[in-house]
Amino acid sequence: MASYKPVVVQSFPKLGEKITQDTLYWKNYKTPVQIKEFGAVNKIDFSPIPPHNYAVTASSRIHIYGRYSQEPIKTFSRFKDAAYCATYRDDGKLLVAGSEEGVVRLFDISGRAALRQFDGHTKAVHVVDFLSDKYRIFSGADDYTSKLWDIPSATEIVSYSEHTDYVRCGCTSKLNTDLFVTGSYDHTVKVFDVRTEKSVMTVEHGQPVESVLLFPSGGLLVSAGGRYVKVWDILKGGQLLVSLKNHHKTVTCLCLSSSGQRLLSGSLDRHVKVYSTTSYKVVHSFDYAASILSLALAPEDETIVVGMTNGVLNVRHRKHEESKERFPKKKRPGYRTFVKGRNYMPKQEDFFVSKPVRSHLKKYDKLLKSFQVSKALDVVLEARNRTPEITVAVMQELNRRGTLKNALAGRDETQLSILLAFLIRYVVEPRFAPMLIKAAEMIIDIYLPVVGQSAVIDKQFLRLQEIIEKEIDYQEELLEVLGMMDALFATMTRKKATSLEENKTNGILRVLEQATSN
């Protein structure tokens, strides 16, 4: 009797992920560390000086974390209500934050109490930042105003009230000490020069603006709001350069890499997109567990920190190349050791002892070997979500043997429901369609007399019919499109000269040749 041959599972080609330099760079982060905060994280800001601690604003507190600490090393909690937008000064010694009660507070990093308190806004202050001269602060609030404050005297310098809705984001220029930008829910982004009484530039974003960003050169401005990220050229009077729509929910935060060559955007769709600032194409994407409100990159991209609506802080650290070389590799046997004696030719007096290779059969193969076809099909249907290829391969083997109908027959309501669920999921997949359609036809022939006895089975049969009808309509539409494309390609092809036209042209050439010779 011939030995049993295991079922051959057909392998299908898989579309591999395109590996680029960006893929390797952004994937080179360790497993994220999760830190639970007291509320939604609305702002993350890294200190510009070593060791680059970062300030996290959540609920009514500001926590300062060390680069690798999982517990805050310092806390500012002198807020009656929610705190917003804690931001470091360029020297890393001062921290400014807005609040729900409309007060702007200035903190010394080495102390705990507020150094200065700026009163003037009548509603919540959602955005604050230092101007690059380090002695002035700008703020934007829900009272539609933007104000400039003097740190030494704790007085208001100037107030702008050009926006017609909440001012929720802003940034300052690192090159010009008098320039700052505000974004509002009135769909506009305004550029202010503190030496003038009005804004010097206004651009229309089109949606409520959630975040703005200035490039280090000061020539490009990025705004985010709705599903759009837009890049504007300030030097050309606010000309729109590119509009990006890669998120499917509101974009809430923006960030630049240390080199300025990559732009990052976070959204409520739980994704962080990485764009190239030369082509503005998405070069990488991060997935998170909840909607994203804030995002920050450490200097030299050493750490990426993301704050989410569920109060979780997600921290990823870059892997260091030095750590790989810290521990010397164990010396392993060389290639020669493994191939030694492989090409040895036995001599005439040698005795050759062969060790039989033991083959281990899968569970479904053992059942097929003992002709338990129905049980073999049940076994592969249990793992239907993970390995549909094996299930279809067993069906093909049963069909080849002529026992597929026997395996499908005699099933109770639960077994038939599992079988129909598998068909509903995979019957329209091109890889499995030929075999599964044949199985579906057999099931209909077998169980047609008992249709109507189970509401669950009847519902699955109707669902299967609906899926197949949709697929037929889809295929018909594709055939129509294919016919249109064939017609278009036919009109675009070059017309070949007919034999009659060739004779006419040859005749004219002969007449011309005779005329020239005469």
Side-chain angles (χ1 to χ4, degrees):
M1 185 177 176
S3 60
Y4 174 80
K5 292 181 180 178
V7 173
V8 178
V9 180
Q10 187 179 356
S11 60
F12 297 93
K14 292 181 181 179
L15 293 174
E17 183 184 359
K18 189 177 180 182
I19 304 298
T20 62
Q21 289 297 322
D22 279 284
T23 306
L24 298 172
Y25 181 85
W26 294 105
K27 277 195 171 183
N28 193 26
Y29 282 89
K30 297 176 185 176
T31 306
V33 176
Q34 307 277 357
I35 303 171
K36 181 64 178 171
E37 283 288 342
F38 289 95
V41 181
N42 63 72
K43 175 72 175 180
I44 303 163
D45 192 52
F46 274 91
S47 172
I49 60 168
H52 303 298
N53 298 335
Y54 56 94
V56 176
T57 313
S59 186
S60 60
R61 302 182 183 188
I62 301 168
H63 286 154
I64 308 295
Y65 288 91
R67 178 70 69 85
Y68 298 101
S69 66
Q70 296 187 29
E71 295 291 334
I73 57 177
K74 196 176 189 64
T75 300
F76 298 99
S77 56
R78 303 295 179 90
F79 294 91
K80 295 177 183 176
D81 208 330
Y84 298 113
C85 197
T87 307
Y88 277 100
R89 196 166 74 170
D90 286 346
D91 57 5
K93 295 179 179 178
L94 297 180
L95 191 75
V96 66
S99 63
E100 184 67 31
E101 64 260 29
V103 177
V104 179
R105 290 183 175 86
L106 183 70
F107 297 93
D108 187 345
I109 292 299
S110 59
R112 287 191 180 275
L115 289 178
R116 294 279 189 277
Q117 183 169 306
F118 305 94
D119 299 303
H121 287 290
T122 57
K123 290 188 179 179
V125 180
H126 279 267
V127 52
V128 286
D129 201 355
F130 291 94
L131 267 67
S132 53
D133 62 2
K134 302 179 185 176
Y135 299 109
R136 289 176 293 176
I137 294 169
F138 98 88
S139 61
D142 286 354
D143 59 6
Y144 309 167
T145 63
S146 306
K147 295 181 183 290
L148 198 70
W149 310 90
D150 181 59
I151 294 176
S153 61
T155 56
E156 180 183 314
I157 300 172
V158 64
S159 178
Y160 299 97
S161 55
E162 294 187 24
H163 286 294
T164 58
D165 208 333
Y166 300 155
V167 180
R168 285 294 175 90
C169 57
C171 62
T172 58
S173 172
K174 302 301 178 187
L175 299 178
N176 191 326
T177 57
D178 298 310
L179 214 64
F180 68 92
V181 182
T182 59
S184 168
Y185 277 11
D186 63 5
H187 300 191
T188 62
V189 177
K190 292 184 181 288
V191 181
F192 292 94
D193 190 326
V194 299
R195 296 166 293 186
T196 62
E197 295 180 356
K198 293 183 179 180
S199 60
V200 293
M201 186 183 298
T202 302
V203 295
E204 182 71 31
H205 181 81
Q207 286 84 24
V209 184
E210 299 284 350
S211 182
V212 290
L213 181 71
L214 271 173
F215 272 68
S217 62
L220 295 179
L221 170 69
V222 188
S223 62
R227 294 168 58 192
Y228 294 89
V229 175
K230 297 185 178 182
V231 184
W232 312 85
D233 191 339
I234 294 179
L235 302 179
K236 289 186 178 180
Q239 179 184 341
L240 179 63
L241 292 181
V242 64
S243 178
L244 307 170
K245 190 181 177 183
N246 297 97
H247 291 281
H248 60 270
K249 284 188 180 180
T250 301
V251 183
T252 55
C253 48
L254 296 169
C255 180
L256 268 177
S257 67
S258 55
S259 63
Q261 296 180 355
R262 295 292 180 268
L263 173 68
L264 285 77
S265 65
S267 167
L268 296 179
D269 63 5
R270 301 183 291 108
H271 288 86
V272 170
K273 305 283 184 183
V274 184
Y275 306 89
S276 166
T277 54
T278 52
S279 64
Y280 292 105
K281 291 183 178 178
V282 177
V283 294
H284 193 69
S285 180
F286 293 99
D287 298 336
Y288 289 89
S291 298
I292 297 165
L293 283 183
S294 51
L295 165 72
L297 267 176
E300 303 301 323
D301 305 339
E302 288 294 321
T303 309
I304 179 170
V305 186
V306 167
M308 293 175 273
T309 52
N310 60 356
V312 172
L313 201 65
N314 187 294
V315 186
R316 296 171 185 253
H317 300 286
R318 277 190 64 80
K319 296 175 184 175
H320 293 283
E321 296 296 328
E322 299 171 1
S323 61
K324 295 179 182 177
E325 299 174 3
R326 197 176 294 166
F327 304 102
K329 289 183 178 180
K330 292 181 181 179
K331 194 172 181 181
R332 295 178 179 178
Y335 178 71
R336 292 180 185 177
T337 308
F338 292 105
V339 299
K340 186 178 180 181
R342 192 173 182 180
N343 299 323
Y344 175 77
M345 296 298 292
K347 297 176 182 177
Q348 193 172 2
E349 61 271 14
D350 289 340
F351 291 97
F352 180 74
V353 179
S354 61
K355 189 178 180 180
V357 179
R358 192 174 179 181
S359 60
H360 297 278
L361 294 178
K362 301 281 186 182
K363 191 175 181 180
Y364 58 83
D365 275 318
K366 291 177 182 177
L367 292 168
L368 287 173
K369 187 178 179 181
S370 59
F371 302 102
Q372 301 181 54
V373 291
S374 187
K375 286 185 179 179
L377 188 58
D378 288 339
V379 166
V380 291
L381 281 170
E382 287 174 5
R384 60 191 181 280
N385 294 329
R386 296 190 299 271
T387 53
E389 297 87 357
I390 295 175
T391 307
V392 175
V394 169
M395 285 184 176
Q396 286 173 336
E397 174 63 19
L398 293 174
N399 186 54
R400 187 188 66 80
R401 294 184 180 189
T403 56
L404 179 59
K405 202 163 187 176
N406 296 340
L408 297 172
R411 293 179 172 269
D412 58 21
E413 184 180 355
T414 306
Q415 292 173 330
L416 184 58
S417 179
I418 293 171
L419 184 56
L420 287 172
F422 180 81
L423 290 176
I424 287 167
R425 184 167 183 180
Y426 295 108
V427 72
V428 294
E429 274 207 32
R431 299 180 295 167
F432 313 132
M435 186 63 246
L436 295 186
I437 288 170
K438 187 177 287 186
E441 289 174 351
M442 289 183 182
I443 290 170
I444 292 167
D445 290 340
I446 295 167
Y447 295 99
L448 187 62
V450 293
V451 168
Q453 295 182 10
S454 169
V456 176
I457 300 300
D458 292 347
K459 192 175 180 180
Q460 285 182 308
F461 270 122
L462 290 172
R463 177 67 180 145
L464 183 63
Q465 180 186 358
E466 183 185 343
I467 288 171
I468 292 173
E469 284 175 353
K470 279 185 180 179
E471 182 66 17
I472 290 168
D473 293 339
Y474 181 59
Q475 294 288 347
E476 286 176 353
E477 288 178 12
L478 286 178
L479 285 172
E480 288 176 8
V481 173
L482 188 61
M484 293 177 196
M485 292 174 68
D486 287 341
L488 286 171
F489 291 143
T491 55
M492 291 168 64
T493 55
R494 214 177 201 175
K495 289 185 178 181
K496 292 183 179 180
T498 60
S499 57
L500 182 63
E501 289 173 345
E502 286 178 0
N503 293 335
K504 283 182 181 179
T505 52
N506 291 337
I508 292 167
L509 287 171
R510 288 196 198 98
V511 171
L512 289 171
E513 285 175 0
Q514 288 175 4
T516 51
S517 60
N518 293 335

